[in-house]
Amino acid sequence: MPLPLPRLRTVVLVTGAALLARRAVRRRVRSSPLWPLPALENPVSGHSGRRPTTTRRLLISERTAPADGVVQLRLEGPDLPAWQPGAHLDLLLPSGLVRQYSLCGDPADPGTYTIATRLVEDGRGGSREVHAQLHEGAEVEVRAPRNRFPLVEAPGYLFIAGGIGITPILPMLRSVAASGADWRLLYGGRSRVSMPFLDEIEKLGADGDRVTVVAEDEAGRPDPAAALADTAQGTAVYCCGPGPLMDAVASALPPGRTLHLERFTAAAASSAGSGPFEVELRRSGRTVRVAAGQSVLAAVREELPYVSYSCEQGFCGTCRQRVLEGEIDHRDDLLADAEREDSMLICVSRCRGKRLVLDL
């Protein structure tokens, strides 16, 4: 039965209005800098350029204590992405905190990831949450492993670890020991009972006195300069641990050796370029002021609260943004040289001048 004429006229008018509204929205998306969608072609801000990582839920199948104050978690799940020594993953804690932990298990085991963390009472809360809340039988969310500390081929290796800094180095030790490569380890800690994986490490180095263990309560602090002086040309030096230890290794490195560092906190930034500056958000048509003690991320999120971030330490790359103008003061430990030319991690990096322009 055909619609009455008045009702048909109403349907036509409503349909026409909907089409006009849709066209108007499309025009606004393309043209308006205030519309919260990209108005530029091929925006790259907020995208690291790396393979995207997916979040997956894993079962905590085992919780152990490899040393005083250290918890080790064995995480199990199907079809886990492969990883190589030196890799780390993002652990998404129940509170919403995201922390990065080195994988210290066996890369040949396709169904498990193993991580370990030391309790830091005066830290930012991540280790306290792991120790207090993550137990066998619970599930946690993780993002697939990434590796910015890969084990390279070299004629010889010197590994220097301090405390929990042994975690990314342990799979490297297993790898070089199995391959027959020439290697040595200098391992320091407050005491032997606080140094994780010590029994396994001493067994790995039992042939040839490869391992030197320095417990501070027994023999003081390790001497990286002496260990470096005994290395040959071409040695790859891997170091992970407290900042002062890594700084000492870097300053004592002889010529002809390559240095590879893994930091658990962002490197100390110089005081230069730490003053206030302005950041123009080009696509949004807004300008924000970054105070001397404020991060670019914090200032930007006051205007654009949807901007993504995670670690807030310059490790994960979630907050990477494209820089259109201005000189960047890079303070991260992630971006490659080519990536630093036109992008920055706004959680830690700053401006060397008075103004930056971001593709936001």
Side-chain angles (χ1 to χ4, degrees), residues 71-206:
V71 160
Q72 177 177 276
L73 302 177
R74 180 182 174 93
L75 312 177
E76 294 187 357
D79 303 319
L80 298 184
W83 62 279
Q84 296 298 320
H88 70 276
L89 54 71
D90 293 340
L91 182 66
L92 285 67
L93 296 170
S95 67
L97 292 175
V98 180
R99 293 294 181 264
Q100 290 71 41
Y101 293 108
S102 297
L103 291 168
C104 56
D106 183 0
D109 186 347
T112 67
Y113 292 152
T114 302
I115 59 174
T117 179
R118 182 180 299 283
L119 178 62
V120 182
E121 291 286 3
D122 59 350
R124 299 187 303 140
S127 68
R128 293 196 301 272
E129 187 170 351
V130 170
H131 280 244
Q133 298 189 30
L134 301 189
H135 299 280
E136 289 183 17
E139 289 187 338
V140 291
E141 286 188 282
V142 304
R143 296 194 187 108
R146 303 189 301 276
N147 199 338
R148 64 169 185 271
F149 193 49
L151 182 64
V152 300
E153 290 189 12
Y157 299 90
L158 172 62
F159 301 98
I160 301 176
I164 198 65
I166 194 65
T167 50
I169 288 176
L170 180 59
M172 298 183 184
L173 298 179
R174 298 188 186 115
S175 177
V176 296
S179 70
D182 181 26
W183 65 275
R184 289 186 299 118
L185 168 68
L186 175 61
Y187 184 18
R190 294 191 302 272
S191 64
R192 285 180 170 265
V193 295
S194 72
M195 300 168 70
F197 316 117
L198 192 54
D199 289 344
E200 179 185 355
I201 288 168
E202 290 184 322
K203 289 178 182 178
L204 285 172

Side-chain angles (χ1 to χ4, degrees), residues 208-227:
D209 296 326
R210 297 180 185 274
V211 175
T212 300
V213 176
V214 181
E216 190 172 342
D217 63 348
E218 299 174 0
R221 295 182 179 180
D223 184 1

Side-chain angles (χ1 to χ4, degrees), residues 32-35 280-288 303-304 358 360:
S32 175
L34 298 178
W35 193 257
E280 178 189 341
L281 311 177
R282 178 64 55 83
R283 278 186 283 141
S284 301
R286 308 174 192 180
T287 297
V288 299
E303 291 288 333
L304 306 177
L358 300 182
L360 272 172

